[in-house]
Amino acid sequence: MEGNALNREPGRQWAWLIPWFSGGFASLVSNVTGADRVSFFVVGMTAGTIWQLLFRRDLASRLTFMAVVVTVGVVATLASRREFVWEDMNTAGLGAIGILLGLIYTEHYLRWRDRTAERRPTETIAEPRR
């Protein structure tokens, strides 16, 4: 399962742009609805779902780069001994959690669908006798 979920070739490698721009879209939605936290969470979950559908990959493989970036950032912050304050942590954190949940739930659904399809008996059409 190295890199590809269920040994499938990924489809659209540009799909990472969807979660990348989802924060801007969530800001627009929250301006219209007035619900910052809900907007970021729902848009994040939707972006994660679309990302997994378009570019299906194993989640550990997909999230390795993000984990390395966060680890380097945390270590750098701890080494600098300065306080780290992120003003939008409330909404951006919910967006990131939504993206991750969308990825995970979509992959579980796709795996369930694939297992169900494998269990169905294959129907063979008998060739007409001559």
Side-chain angles (χ1 to χ4, degrees):
M1 194 165 8
E2 181 71 27
N4 297 330
L6 303 175
N7 295 323
R8 292 185 178 188
E9 287 297 319
R12 296 165 185 89
Q13 294 184 3
W14 53 264
W16 63 272
L17 293 170
I18 292 168
W20 182 263
F21 290 111
S22 68
F25 184 70
S27 293
L28 293 173
V29 172
S30 70
N31 287 340
V32 172
T33 62
D36 287 346
R37 296 168 56 116
V38 173
S39 298
F40 273 82
F41 182 71
V42 170
V43 168
M45 232 171 129
T46 304
T49 298
I50 293 169
W51 188 19
Q52 188 69 2
L53 287 172
L54 290 177
F55 190 57
R56 188 174 181 190
R57 289 185 57 198
D58 178 60
L59 293 178
S61 172
R62 170 170 292 182
L63 299 175
T64 300
F65 178 73
M66 293 167 72
V68 169
V69 169
V70 169
T71 302
V72 169
V74 168
V75 169
T77 301
L78 293 173
S80 71
R81 296 184 181 186
R82 292 186 179 204
E83 187 175 339
F84 181 66
V85 178
W86 187 5
E87 293 177 8
D88 277 344
M89 183 57 158
N90 204 14
T91 54
L94 283 170
I97 290 168
I99 290 170
L100 183 60
L101 292 176
L103 286 168
I104 292 169
Y105 293 146
T106 303
E107 182 56 31
H108 280 294
Y109 167 75
L110 292 172
R111 288 180 184 188
W112 171 81
R113 188 186 68 184
D114 291 343
R115 281 192 309 269
T116 303
E118 289 173 1
R119 279 188 249 164
R120 289 186 197 143
T122 56
E123 297 179 20
T124 57
I125 299 173
E127 291 185 26
R129 294 186 185 194
R130 296 180 192 201

